[in-house]
Amino acid sequence: DPQLNANYTFENYIEGDCNRLARSAGYAVAAKPGGTSFNPLMIYGGVGLGKTHLAQAIGNEIKRSMPDKLVIYVSCEKFCQQFVDSLKNNTINDFVNFYQAMDVIIMDDVHNFAGKEKTQDIFFHIFNHLHQSGKQVILTSDKAPKDLAGLEERLLSRFKWGLSADLQIPDLETRIAILRKKMYADGIELPGEVVEYVAHNIDNNVRELEGAMVSLLAQATLNKKEIDLALAKQMLKNFIKNTSKEISMEYIQKLVCEYFEVPVDMVKSQTRKREIVQARQISMYLSKSHTKSSLKTIGAFFGGRDHSTVIYACQTVEDLIDTDKKFKAYVHDIQKKLKMS
Ligand code: ADP
Ligand code: MG
């Protein structure tokens, strides 16, 4: 199928907390198209988070294990265009018959149906036909069905029949794994600190993450240059906004909480759970050493505490750094990450 891109497979789709449900639902659908309750399977999430890749991976997997199945991948935009053309050329029946003959339809970016009532009507009929015949429908969208504006209610209600699974921004570990995979695919290895720098700083979108890696790899190959951290920073200036931004308490809080895997809002709460207290005290300590904020401001930021609490936190952290090797390593690790920003 020319519409399926063979590069998008499950094999090279890195699994993480960000995509676990969507990925395993996709896998189940690929093993039994039309034969699970995930029909339709709706994969949703923001730009560049891997919707097209995952949807295509399902199609490729079905083609691989069941070559006789008719699988069509079509973007919603292209479908709309084809519909308009078929109206013009008087070939609506052919258009409808073509899609109704499929075993699996993958429609990408269905939010683009917004405002296109006639195309939605046609798709509604195709959808019903396929669904009633036990055929598989796979959809992607930038929003959950309940938040899709501009789509007809009856079509939306169909979209809610099966399973909607979202894709989130990958966490740091998953971002590093995605970059590693890309490097190995290209047969080039960049220094670990460069990979970490990229993964730390591009944290909103997998496509941009890959784009940064592609340009580093290109530089390494074409100019036969060693890419060290300094060169990487230099090259990625345009990818990474605010390279020399001031470190904020908010950022420290985010980094510390990510590091210790505690919910961000908890450090501002009143809880005395050990790991939260530790994250709070380290955040205060780093805020004192890495920002220009006063003790009073720091205390206020971390849950309305007073300056003596901040002094106590800093003392506690300093004592622990002196006496507890593991603790010292934690703090250094976080400081290293802070300096990478
Ligand atoms: P979307 O359709 O959501 O905008 P894409 O599917 O086009 O995003 O993904 C953007 C890029 O990121 C693609 O090159 C894709 O291969 C890659 N990508 C996204 N998620 C992953 C992942 N979990 N593992 C590996 N590559 C990924
Ligand atoms: Mg896409």
mmCIF file with all atom_site columns, all heavy atoms in Angstrom, residues 51-52 108-109 140 207, ligand 2:
data_model
loop_
_atom_site.group_PDB
_atom_site.id
_atom_site.type_symbol
_atom_site.label_atom_id
_atom_site.label_alt_id
_atom_site.label_comp_id
_atom_site.label_asym_id
_atom_site.label_entity_id
_atom_site.label_seq_id
_atom_site.pdbx_PDB_ins_code
_atom_site.Cartn_x
_atom_site.Cartn_y
_atom_site.Cartn_z
_atom_site.occupancy
_atom_site.B_iso_or_equiv
_atom_site.pdbx_formal_charge
_atom_site.auth_seq_id
_atom_site.auth_comp_id
_atom_site.auth_asym_id
_atom_site.auth_atom_id
_atom_site.pdbx_PDB_model_num
ATOM   1  N  N   . LYS A 1 51  ? 1.146  10.255 16.817 1.00 0.00 ? 51  LYS A N   1
ATOM   2  C  CA  . LYS A 1 51  ? -0.143 9.694  16.400 1.00 0.00 ? 51  LYS A CA  1
ATOM   3  C  C   . LYS A 1 51  ? -0.031 8.984  15.051 1.00 0.00 ? 51  LYS A C   1
ATOM   4  O  O   . LYS A 1 51  ? -0.474 7.848  14.893 1.00 0.00 ? 51  LYS A O   1
ATOM   5  C  CB  . LYS A 1 51  ? -1.209 10.795 16.299 1.00 0.00 ? 51  LYS A CB  1
ATOM   6  C  CG  . LYS A 1 51  ? -1.448 11.561 17.579 1.00 0.00 ? 51  LYS A CG  1
ATOM   7  C  CD  . LYS A 1 51  ? -2.538 12.610 17.400 1.00 0.00 ? 51  LYS A CD  1
ATOM   8  C  CE  . LYS A 1 51  ? -2.180 13.745 16.453 1.00 0.00 ? 51  LYS A CE  1
ATOM   9  N  NZ  . LYS A 1 51  ? -1.082 14.600 16.961 1.00 0.00 ? 51  LYS A NZ  1
ATOM   10 N  N   . THR A 1 52  ? 0.542  9.688  14.086 1.00 0.00 ? 52  THR A N   1
ATOM   11 C  CA  . THR A 1 52  ? 0.646  9.107  12.747 1.00 0.00 ? 52  THR A CA  1
ATOM   12 C  C   . THR A 1 52  ? 1.521  7.855  12.779 1.00 0.00 ? 52  THR A C   1
ATOM   13 O  O   . THR A 1 52  ? 1.177  6.830  12.183 1.00 0.00 ? 52  THR A O   1
ATOM   14 C  CB  . THR A 1 52  ? 1.228  10.143 11.763 1.00 0.00 ? 52  THR A CB  1
ATOM   15 O  OG1 . THR A 1 52  ? 0.332  11.256 11.702 1.00 0.00 ? 52  THR A OG1 1
ATOM   16 C  CG2 . THR A 1 52  ? 1.386  9.556  10.374 1.00 0.00 ? 52  THR A CG2 1
ATOM   17 N  N   . ASP A 1 108 ? -6.348 9.668  9.564  1.00 0.00 ? 108 ASP A N   1
ATOM   18 C  CA  . ASP A 1 108 ? -5.460 10.496 10.370 1.00 0.00 ? 108 ASP A CA  1
ATOM   19 C  C   . ASP A 1 108 ? -6.021 11.921 10.491 1.00 0.00 ? 108 ASP A C   1
ATOM   20 O  O   . ASP A 1 108 ? -6.510 12.479 9.511  1.00 0.00 ? 108 ASP A O   1
ATOM   21 C  CB  . ASP A 1 108 ? -4.085 10.552 9.672  1.00 0.00 ? 108 ASP A CB  1
ATOM   22 C  CG  . ASP A 1 108 ? -2.931 10.736 10.659 1.00 0.00 ? 108 ASP A CG  1
ATOM   23 O  OD1 . ASP A 1 108 ? -3.187 10.938 11.855 1.00 0.00 ? 108 ASP A OD1 1
ATOM   24 O  OD2 . ASP A 1 108 ? -1.777 10.678 10.199 1.00 0.00 ? 108 ASP A OD2 1
ATOM   25 N  N   . ASP A 1 109 ? -5.957 12.468 11.688 1.00 0.00 ? 109 ASP A N   1
ATOM   26 C  CA  . ASP A 1 109 ? -6.300 13.875 11.946 1.00 0.00 ? 109 ASP A CA  1
ATOM   27 C  C   . ASP A 1 109 ? -7.763 14.207 11.674 1.00 0.00 ? 109 ASP A C   1
ATOM   28 O  O   . ASP A 1 109 ? -8.079 15.148 10.937 1.00 0.00 ? 109 ASP A O   1
ATOM   29 C  CB  . ASP A 1 109 ? -5.390 14.802 11.119 1.00 0.00 ? 109 ASP A CB  1
ATOM   30 C  CG  . ASP A 1 109 ? -3.935 14.719 11.551 1.00 0.00 ? 109 ASP A CG  1
ATOM   31 O  OD1 . ASP A 1 109 ? -3.696 14.468 12.754 1.00 0.00 ? 109 ASP A OD1 1
ATOM   32 O  OD2 . ASP A 1 109 ? -3.049 14.889 10.696 1.00 0.00 ? 109 ASP A OD2 1
ATOM   33 N  N   . THR A 1 140 ? -7.150 9.135  14.305 1.00 0.00 ? 140 THR A N   1
ATOM   34 C  CA  . THR A 1 140 ? -6.312 9.972  15.157 1.00 0.00 ? 140 THR A CA  1
ATOM   35 C  C   . THR A 1 140 ? -6.899 11.371 15.179 1.00 0.00 ? 140 THR A C   1
ATOM   36 O  O   . THR A 1 140 ? -7.618 11.766 14.269 1.00 0.00 ? 140 THR A O   1
ATOM   37 C  CB  . THR A 1 140 ? -4.844 10.089 14.680 1.00 0.00 ? 140 THR A CB  1
ATOM   38 O  OG1 . THR A 1 140 ? -4.779 11.046 13.621 1.00 0.00 ? 140 THR A OG1 1
ATOM   39 C  CG2 . THR A 1 140 ? -4.279 8.759  14.229 1.00 0.00 ? 140 THR A CG2 1
ATOM   40 N  N   . ARG A 1 207 ? 8.722  15.292 17.449 1.00 0.00 ? 207 ARG A N   1
ATOM   41 C  CA  . ARG A 1 207 ? 9.203  15.662 16.111 1.00 0.00 ? 207 ARG A CA  1
ATOM   42 C  C   . ARG A 1 207 ? 10.382 16.629 16.217 1.00 0.00 ? 207 ARG A C   1
ATOM   43 O  O   . ARG A 1 207 ? 11.385 16.483 15.523 1.00 0.00 ? 207 ARG A O   1
ATOM   44 C  CB  . ARG A 1 207 ? 8.071  16.272 15.290 1.00 0.00 ? 207 ARG A CB  1
ATOM   45 C  CG  . ARG A 1 207 ? 8.447  16.473 13.830 1.00 0.00 ? 207 ARG A CG  1
ATOM   46 C  CD  . ARG A 1 207 ? 7.279  16.949 13.013 1.00 0.00 ? 207 ARG A CD  1
ATOM   47 N  NE  . ARG A 1 207 ? 6.211  15.955 12.979 1.00 0.00 ? 207 ARG A NE  1
ATOM   48 C  CZ  . ARG A 1 207 ? 4.918  16.247 12.989 1.00 0.00 ? 207 ARG A CZ  1
ATOM   49 N  NH1 . ARG A 1 207 ? 4.533  17.500 13.055 1.00 0.00 ? 207 ARG A NH1 1
ATOM   50 N  NH2 . ARG A 1 207 ? 4.025  15.296 12.960 1.00 0.00 ? 207 ARG A NH2 1
HETATM 51 MG MG  . MG  B 2 .   ? 0.312  13.189 12.273 1.00 0.00 ? 2   MG  B MG  1
#
